[in-house]
Amino acid sequence: MSIRILKDLEFEDWAVDHDVTDKMLCEAAKEIESGLVDARLGDYLIKKRVAAPGRSKQRSYRTIVGHRQADRLIFLHGFAKKDKENITKNERKALVKLCEIYMQASDDKLSQMVGEELILEIKCDEQDSKERT
């Protein structure tokens, strides 16, 4: 997979708290690139289920992802379905604004942001990433 896979720092905090690993996110990213999404929310935003350890996807987590086919994918927000059914209108507006920043950034700017640890990059094909397994 040749797209850039990134995650927002707030998403990373949520992922750590819920044991969502980079390996799980890589699998979700592959599915997204193949067209397997749960909902298209408009403005580059999609909703994608990620299975929690020991549970099916239906009883697991929802992620909100910024996605531009064959270019970049950015995990922005995560939540458990048991906690809420969906994002609110205000959350959607905020996520659209955040997504626009990431989607409008050049590759050089994204690399700079990764270097400054303002966002994190997931390396799916590399064994030695900062992956939590």
Side-chain angles (χ1 to χ4, degrees):
M1 189 165 30
S2 62
I3 67 167
R4 289 188 88 165
I5 302 171
L6 305 148
K7 54 186 169 179
D8 183 78
L9 294 180
E10 287 187 34
F11 179 88
E12 170 67 356
D13 290 342
W14 173 84
V16 168
D17 288 345
H18 292 86
D19 296 323
V20 175
T21 66
D22 285 356
K23 183 177 179 179
M24 294 162 70
L25 298 177
C26 286
E27 186 60 37
K30 287 176 188 173
E31 290 177 1
I32 291 167
E33 271 296 288
S34 298
L36 299 172
V37 299
D38 295 301
R40 296 192 184 280
L41 307 176
D43 299 306
Y44 297 109
L45 293 180
I46 60 172
K47 182 168 43 171
K48 178 67 180 160
R49 292 180 182 144
V50 175
R55 289 192 256 165
S56 69
K57 285 184 182 179
Q58 289 181 341
R59 295 182 47 234
S60 293
Y61 303 122
R62 305 302 185 260
T63 61
I64 306 299
V65 181
H67 179 240
R68 186 163 53 207
Q69 187 74 34
D71 182 37
R72 63 186 68 165
L73 185 148
I74 302 157
F75 290 93
L76 301 169
H77 181 69
F79 59 96
K81 186 176 180 184
K82 68 180 179 79
D83 295 335
K84 65 181 181 179
E85 190 68 26
N86 211 341
I87 58 174
T88 66
K89 288 181 182 180
N90 286 339
E91 285 173 322
R92 185 189 180 286
K93 285 180 188 178
L95 290 167
V96 165
K97 287 180 182 181
L98 180 60
C99 189
E100 285 174 359
I101 292 168
Y102 293 136
M103 290 300 168
Q104 292 174 4
S106 67
D107 278 334
D108 288 341
K109 181 63 176 175
L110 286 176
S111 293
Q112 178 185 351
M113 293 171 77
V114 168
E116 294 173 4
E117 296 186 356
L118 299 174
I119 57 175
L120 302 173
E121 188 155 14
I122 301 170
K123 300 291 187 183
C124 292
D125 298 327
E126 294 180 15
Q127 293 288 336
D128 191 22
S129 67
K130 293 182 181 178
E131 181 178 337
R132 295 174 324 280
T133 54

